[in-house]
Amino acid sequence: MFKLLSKESNIFSIPVYIGCLLLVVLIFNILNFNTYEAIVAGITFLGIALGYFCFHSIALNYQTHLPLFLYTFFIFGLYPGNLDIGIAVSLLTNSFLLLLLTSTDEDIRKKSYVLVGSIVALNFIFLPTTWPMAVFVIIHVIATSQRIALNLFRFLLGIILIAFSYFSIMFFFQFTSWNIDYFPFGKMKPMTDYTKLAPLLPVALMLIYAVYDHFTNYNKKSPISRYKYTFLLVFSVAQLITIILYMNKSYEYLLLLAFPSSIILSRMMRFLPKYWMQEVCLWLIMISLITFKAGTYFDLF
């Protein structure tokens, strides 16, 4: 299977995976279909579908089917069906951020910081626990921009525009009280029971090895590959902070790591020295995700 998925992919193969994604979303939502669930499922579908195009934007998959397949399988294994609208919006905004921040055109990235700030603010409104994403963007601006102060101003301007619009709308509808529960920093309760995550341990170990292998062979990578991989790692750390601090038993938060995990694992398998190692890793990932899905669906753990 690994050899089949390692064949060259192109933009025309993406609709096939999007079709599989649509099937997964429909199957998990068909039994509890209503207007609200339909809206959430639609946002989720758009966010995840945009992720397929992000693979070509970040260009770390060597144009193979493997990361696309892994991404689809991660969605199948981690998607619970009744997704919270905050997570759905976060998946959508993350896809837009990846498309904008990984653009190879410096002029596009420079001019998009107002939009990036708006997207981050919108993400915070729907899911305040995603505040680490704002920190990630600030670090990205400082690390990659030649005119740091100007681009930070553009980013903050985008946030201010959305915040002003949001408070204006709330004031218009006479929502003038502030709910302190909306402030996420007082609710940091790292999870202590990892029993239900046990089936994902092989995937976690492979991710750790993949990062270790990357830095072991760091000097062998091209400058562009090092830059984009570092971007992906910092992006993953931002998502991981949110997961550790706020997930508890809301395992749908793991969907935030589906995209970066797919690229990291596919690159790790590509550079393994033996074919049997690649095949074993691929099947181990699939079995881990199926076991986790079965465990959460039937409450086995």
Side-chain angles (χ1 to χ4, degrees), residues 49-189:
L50 275 175
Y52 288 105
F53 295 96
C54 291
F55 285 108
H56 289 271
S57 175
I58 202 167
L60 283 176
N61 58 327
Y62 297 98
Q63 304 302 317
T64 65
H65 286 268
L66 184 58
L68 301 175
F69 176 81
L70 286 178
Y71 182 60
T72 306
F73 219 87
F74 268 109
I75 299 304
F76 167 77
L78 302 176
Y79 181 62
N82 54 339
L83 200 64
D84 180 78
I85 191 171
I87 301 292
V89 171
S90 185
L91 290 172
L92 180 60
T93 54
N94 283 350
S95 296
F96 277 115
L97 288 176
L98 286 168
L99 286 172
L100 291 171
L101 296 178
T102 58
S103 174
T104 55
D105 191 331
E106 175 66 26
D107 191 52
I108 292 178
R109 291 206 306 269
K110 179 178 64 176
K111 293 179 179 178
S112 66
Y113 282 122
V114 174
L115 179 58
V116 168
S118 301
I119 292 173
V120 169
L122 189 65
N123 195 12
F124 181 85
I125 289 173
F126 280 92
L127 192 64
T129 55
T130 56
W131 60 265
M133 185 54 60
V135 179
F136 159 73
V137 175
I138 292 173
I139 293 173
H140 176 78
V141 171
I142 295 173
T144 62
S145 298
Q146 294 180 348
R147 306 180 68 179
I148 297 175
L150 177 60
N151 289 331
L152 283 177
F153 172 77
R154 289 169 173 163
F155 173 66
L156 293 175
L157 178 62
I159 293 177
I160 292 170
L161 289 174
I162 291 297
F164 179 77
S165 301
Y166 173 75
F167 285 117
S168 297
I169 294 172
M170 291 298 103
F171 182 78
F172 177 78
F173 286 105
Q174 298 182 352
F175 291 102
T176 56
S177 61
W178 179 264
N179 188 353
I180 194 64
D181 292 335
Y182 194 75
F183 195 67
F185 301 103
K187 296 183 177 180
M188 297 180 183
K189 296 180 180 179

Side-chain angles (χ1 to χ4, degrees), residues 7-290:
K7 292 181 178 179
E8 185 175 351
S9 174
N10 54 56
I11 197 72
F12 298 105
S13 64
I14 289 180
V16 176
Y17 290 98
I18 292 179
C20 294
L21 167 66
L22 180 60
L23 186 63
V24 170
V25 173
L26 288 176
I27 288 175
F28 283 108
N29 286 277
I30 196 69
L31 297 178
N32 57 345
F33 184 82
N34 55 58
T35 303
Y36 174 77
E37 294 294 341
I39 293 173
V40 174
I43 296 173
T44 304
F45 173 77
L46 287 176
I48 298 174
L50 275 175
Y52 288 105
F53 295 96
C54 291
F55 285 108
H56 289 271
S57 175
I58 202 167
L60 283 176
N61 58 327
Y62 297 98
Q63 304 302 317
T64 65
H65 286 268
L66 184 58
L68 301 175
F69 176 81
L70 286 178
Y71 182 60
T72 306
F73 219 87
F74 268 109
I75 299 304
F76 167 77
L78 302 176
Y79 181 62
N82 54 339
L83 200 64
D84 180 78
I85 191 171
I87 301 292
V89 171
S90 185
L91 290 172
L92 180 60
T93 54
N94 283 350
S95 296
F96 277 115
L97 288 176
L98 286 168
L99 286 172
L100 291 171
L101 296 178
T102 58
S103 174
T104 55
D105 191 331
E106 175 66 26
D107 191 52
I108 292 178
R109 291 206 306 269
K110 179 178 64 176
K111 293 179 179 178
S112 66
Y113 282 122
V114 174
L115 179 58
V116 168
S118 301
I119 292 173
V120 169
L122 189 65
N123 195 12
F124 181 85
I125 289 173
F126 280 92
L127 192 64
T129 55
T130 56
W131 60 265
M133 185 54 60
V135 179
F136 159 73
V137 175
I138 292 173
I139 293 173
H140 176 78
V141 171
I142 295 173
T144 62
S145 298
Q146 294 180 348
R147 306 180 68 179
I148 297 175
L150 177 60
N151 289 331
L152 283 177
F153 172 77
R154 289 169 173 163
F155 173 66
L156 293 175
L157 178 62
I159 293 177
I160 292 170
L161 289 174
I162 291 297
F164 179 77
S165 301
Y166 173 75
F167 285 117
S168 297
I169 294 172
M170 291 298 103
F171 182 78
F172 177 78
F173 286 105
Q174 298 182 352
F175 291 102
T176 56
S177 61
W178 179 264
N179 188 353
I180 194 64
D181 292 335
Y182 194 75
F183 195 67
F185 301 103
K187 296 183 177 180
M188 297 180 183
K189 296 180 180 179
M191 64 183 300
T192 55
D193 184 10
Y194 294 91
T195 305
K196 290 191 175 182
L197 297 180
L200 296 179
L201 182 60
V203 178
L205 292 176
M206 278 187 271
L207 285 170
I208 294 171
Y209 171 77
V211 175
Y212 164 78
D213 181 69
H214 169 73
F215 285 106
T216 301
N217 300 285
Y218 187 79
N219 293 328
K220 299 178 183 178
K221 313 290 184 181
S222 67
I224 294 177
S225 178
R226 290 200 297 261
Y227 163 75
K228 290 191 173 183
Y229 201 93
T230 302
F231 170 89
L232 198 66
L233 289 179
V234 180
F235 176 83
S236 302
V237 169
Q239 307 292 0
L240 194 59
I241 291 173
T242 294
I243 290 171
I244 292 174
L245 292 179
Y246 303 106
M247 181 173 73
N248 289 322
K249 294 184 179 181
S250 302
Y251 299 117
E252 61 266 26
Y253 269 84
L254 294 172
L255 284 169
L256 299 176
L257 284 175
F259 177 82
S261 297
S262 302
I263 293 181
I264 293 171
L265 289 174
S266 63
R267 284 174 62 83
M268 181 270 293
M269 284 187 279
R270 178 181 173 84
F271 293 113
L272 287 175
K274 302 291 185 179
Y275 167 71
W276 67 266
M277 294 180 180
Q278 299 167 335
E279 193 71 25
V280 167
C281 285
L282 178 59
W283 281 100
L284 192 57
I285 292 170
M286 294 169 59
I287 293 171
S288 297
L289 289 169
I290 291 173

